[in-house]
Amino acid sequence: CNLDRDRNRNRNRNLDPNLDPNRNSDCNLDGSNNTSEIEILNLISSLNLTEHVILKGHPSSNIYSTGWVFVNSSTTEDEDLSLTIGEAGLCGLPVVCTDVGSSREVISDLKNNIIYGSIVPPQKPNQLAFAQLRVLCMTNGLRQIINKKCIDTLTIEELIKKGTKGIEVRMNDPSIKKYRQELGLLLRKRIIEKFSIDRFCREHEQLLWLSYLSHKREKNMTI
C-alpha cells in the first residue's frame, strides 16, 4: 500500500458524507491476487473510495517515487524477506510493516533500537492504521531520529484528539514532509549499506567456501 502525494484534481466526487470531500491523498494498492481482488474492489466501492483507493497491479519505481509512506501488511508469520520493503526503502520511502519474516531487520537498526518507520504485529489492523498515522505525521519520537535536538513530544494519540483536520494539517505541514522524506532517506542509506549486491555476493561466497571446506574435512576424516 502506497499513500500517494497531494492531489488537487477531481474535487467533486461522490463520497460518503461522513468522509472528508477535500481529502488530497490516495492509497495505491500494489500487487496482484485474483482470489481477493474482486472482494477488495467491492469493499472499495461500498465505501465510496473508488477515486482514492486504486489497485495498481505489480509495483514499479514510478509508484514508489510518488509516495509518502509504504505499507506492507503481510499476515503470515512464516514469510521470509519482503523484497518490496527493500525496493520502497531504496526509493526513499519510510516503511510501515507487520513484524513477519525479516522485515524488522530490514527497516530497523537493531543495535541502536531505531526503526525507520513503524512495525506492528500481524493481523492487527487498528495498530497498523495508527502506525501509518505516526509516520505520516512524524509523531511519537520519529522526528528525533532526524534531529536529536528536536523537542517535539507529540504523540499520535494526542493529535487524534484534535480531529481529522489536525491530522491533515500536521501531515501536510512542509516541515513534517521534509522530516518524513529524511526518514525515508535514512532507510535508503541503511539498505544500501546492509543489503548491497557486494555484501550479498561476499556472504554467499563465504557460505560456499565453508561448505567446501566442511565437505573436504569430512572426506579426509572418512579416509
Side-chain angles (χ1 to χ4, degrees), residues 11-12 17 43 48 57 66 96 109 132 148 165 187 196 214:
R11 288 298 188 194
N12 297 320
L43 180 61
N48 293 321
T66 61
V96 174
D109 180 346
Q132 292 174 60
K148 290 182 173 57
K165 187 63 177 179
L187 177 56
S196 67
S214 176

Side-chain angles (χ1 to χ4, degrees), residues 6 25 44 51 77 86-87 95 118 129 139 156 158 170 175 192 202 221:
D6 311 75
S25 61
I44 292 171
E51 294 292 335
E77 297 188 14
E87 291 170 355
V95 170
S118 189
T139 61
I156 194 60
E158 293 169 341
R170 172 83 176 192
S175 65
I192 290 175
R202 184 175 65 253
M221 290 176 63

Side-chain angles (χ1 to χ4, degrees), residues 2 5 64-65 67-71 84-96 106-108 114-118 134-138 142-147 175-193 195:
N2 182 35
R5 285 183 179 153
Y64 293 137
S65 64
W68 276 1
V69 62
F70 180 81
V71 182
T84 55
I85 290 179
E87 291 170 355
L90 285 173
C91 289
L93 284 180
V95 170
V96 174
V106 175
I107 74 165
S108 304
I114 297 174
I115 302 175
Y116 301 104
S118 189
R134 283 196 295 271
V135 176
L136 286 168
C137 297
M138 292 298 289
L142 285 175
R143 291 180 68 182
Q144 280 82 345
I145 296 176
I146 313 300
N147 179 7
S175 65
I176 295 301
K177 286 185 178 182
K178 187 173 185 298
Y179 271 106
R180 197 165 53 226
Q181 290 167 359
E182 290 180 0
L183 183 66
L185 291 176
L186 285 177
L187 177 56
R188 170 182 164 82
K189 180 181 178 182
R190 169 177 170 73
I191 291 176
I192 290 175
E193 291 176 350
F195 301 95

Side-chain angles (χ1 to χ4, degrees), residues 23-118:
R23 65 185 62 200
N24 58 5
S25 61
D26 292 337
C27 179
N28 293 328
L29 297 177
D30 307 328
S32 179
N33 186 330
N34 294 329
T35 303
S36 59
E37 188 168 333
I38 295 177
E39 181 182 353
I40 293 172
L41 285 170
N42 288 336
L43 180 61
I44 292 171
S45 178
S46 68
L47 295 173
N48 293 321
L49 293 173
T50 53
E51 294 292 335
H52 295 283
V53 181
I54 304 163
L55 271 63
K56 288 287 190 177
H58 291 291
S60 68
S61 58
N62 292 333
I63 293 176
Y64 293 137
S65 64
T66 61
W68 276 1
V69 62
F70 180 81
V71 182
N72 188 68
S73 56
S74 296
T75 59
T76 55
E77 297 188 14
D78 59 347
E79 180 172 331
D80 196 8
L81 177 64
S82 172
L83 295 179
T84 55
I85 290 179
E87 291 170 355
L90 285 173
C91 289
L93 284 180
V95 170
V96 174
C97 65
T98 47
D99 196 2
V100 298
S102 301
S103 298
R104 180 176 292 273
E105 181 182 357
V106 175
I107 74 165
S108 304
D109 180 346
L110 299 177
K111 181 178 180 181
N112 297 302
N113 195 29
I114 297 174
I115 302 175
Y116 301 104
S118 189

